[in-house]
């Protein structure tokens, strides 16, 4: 078992019509041992930007703090929030700086640009960007998550349709991976704000 799947987990980001969703499971594990069932893998940077981290939990916590720190510095200097695309480029640069001794984390960035355009992007552990117009996934069960997302995704979903789709994709995907699951959390980002809902999944 590699370091990327040592703690397990699954994350999905998906676009809708002027909205975007990001969801993750809640299990914290050490290989096949479950340590906690309320572990957050998504981190709010500002009102229209959430980053999800999949991989090694220690690096996940380090990176989430560094991302918030860098965004706070930007806000102090510029007196405004960072655009989602600019934040993605900053994350990519931070990861590539450490390419010879990388953080064992794959970030997924989800948010809305100032004009309301949904933005989702995934990266590998050295910051290679993979922007998508529909959905991106990361974690220890990407094959099953890709399968259900490709089956359920539709263009121009409303926030409620997007929530239902992402919730079903997450629950179905992590059911096929013993290192992820134990419920989940879904964040729906719209121009009016962010709504977060917790999902109850199989507890085995």
């Amino acid at each position: 078992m590699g370091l990327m799947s040592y703690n397990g987990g699954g994350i999905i980001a998906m676009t809708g019509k002027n909205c975007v969703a990001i969801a993750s499971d809640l299990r914290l594990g050490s290989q096949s041992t479950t340590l906690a069932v309320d572990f957050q893998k998504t981190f709010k940077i500002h009102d229209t930007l959430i980053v999800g981290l999949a991989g090694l939990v220690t690096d996940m916590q380090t990176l989430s703090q560094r991302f918030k720190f860098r965004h706070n510095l930007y806000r102090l200097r510029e007196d405004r929030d960072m655009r989602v695309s600019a934040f993605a480029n900053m994350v990519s640069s931070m990861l590539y700086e450490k390419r010879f001794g990388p953080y064992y984390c794959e970030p997924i960035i989800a948010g809305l640009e100032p004009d309301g355009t949904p933005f989702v992007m995934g990266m590998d552990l050295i910051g290679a960007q993979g922007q998508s117009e529909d959905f991106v996934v990361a974690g220890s069960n990407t094959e099953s998550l890709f399968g259900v997302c490709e089956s359920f995704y539709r263009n121009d979903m409303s926030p409620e349709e997007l929530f239902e789709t992402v919730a079903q994709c997450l629950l179905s995907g992590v059911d096929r991976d013993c290192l992820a699951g134990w419920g989940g959390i879904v964040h729906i980002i719209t121009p009016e704000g962010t709504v977060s809902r917790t999902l109850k999944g199989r507890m085995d």
Side-chain angles (χ1 to χ4, degrees):
M1 180 179 294
L3 286 175
M4 292 300 291
S5 58
Y6 184 85
N7 297 116
I11 300 177
I12 303 172
M14 190 177 283
T15 61
K17 187 173 184 179
N18 298 323
C19 59
V20 65
I22 183 167
S24 78
D25 71 320
L26 295 175
R27 178 184 183 270
L28 168 62
S30 174
Q31 296 184 349
S32 57
T33 304
T34 300
L35 304 175
V37 294
D38 58 355
F39 188 76
Q40 296 291 329
K41 298 168 188 173
T42 52
F43 305 92
K44 183 177 178 180
I45 305 299
H46 60 72
D47 288 344
T48 57
L49 169 58
I50 294 176
V51 58
L53 293 167
L56 194 63
V57 162
T58 48
D59 287 349
M60 190 187 301
Q61 293 173 325
T62 301
L63 277 178
S64 68
Q65 291 167 3
R66 290 196 66 195
F67 294 161
K68 288 175 184 174
F69 171 72
R70 291 285 287 270
H71 179 262
N72 288 342
L73 282 181
Y74 180 94
R75 185 156 40 191
L76 281 170
R77 187 172 62 245
E78 302 287 337
D79 198 30
R80 61 190 170 93
D81 286 329
M82 200 181 287
R83 289 171 60 111
V84 185
S85 53
F87 180 82
N89 289 328
M90 183 205 75
V91 169
S92 179
S93 175
M94 283 176 63
L95 293 176
Y96 192 68
E97 283 174 9
K98 301 283 188 182
R99 62 192 177 279
F100 298 117
Y103 294 108
Y104 289 96
C105 266
E106 294 178 340
I108 284 189
I109 294 155
L112 296 177
E113 293 283 35
D115 61 357
T117 306
F119 180 100
V120 295
M121 178 182 281
M123 294 180 201
D124 68 2
L125 69 173
I126 59 167
Q129 298 180 345
Q131 188 173 353
S132 175
E133 294 182 359
D134 40 29
F135 57 83
V136 289
V137 303
S140 57
N141 58 334
T142 52
E143 294 89 352
S144 54
L145 289 174
F146 265 123
V148 289
C149 287
E150 286 170 353
S151 299
F152 292 157
Y153 178 79
R154 298 194 319 279
N155 290 321
D156 294 334
M157 287 184 283
S158 69
E160 279 302 314
E161 290 174 319
L162 184 61
F163 164 74
E164 193 64 38
T165 302
V166 170
Q168 293 301 327
C169 287
L170 182 73
L171 292 175
S172 298
V174 299
D175 272 356
R176 291 162 175 81
D177 177 26
C178 62
L179 299 178
W182 287 78
I185 187 164
V186 181
H187 307 280
I188 307 290
I189 305 170
T190 64
E192 291 75 42
T194 302
V195 177
S196 302
R197 295 175 177 148
T198 305
L199 309 173
K200 184 174 174 62
R202 284 178 52 163
M203 297 297 181
D204 59 357

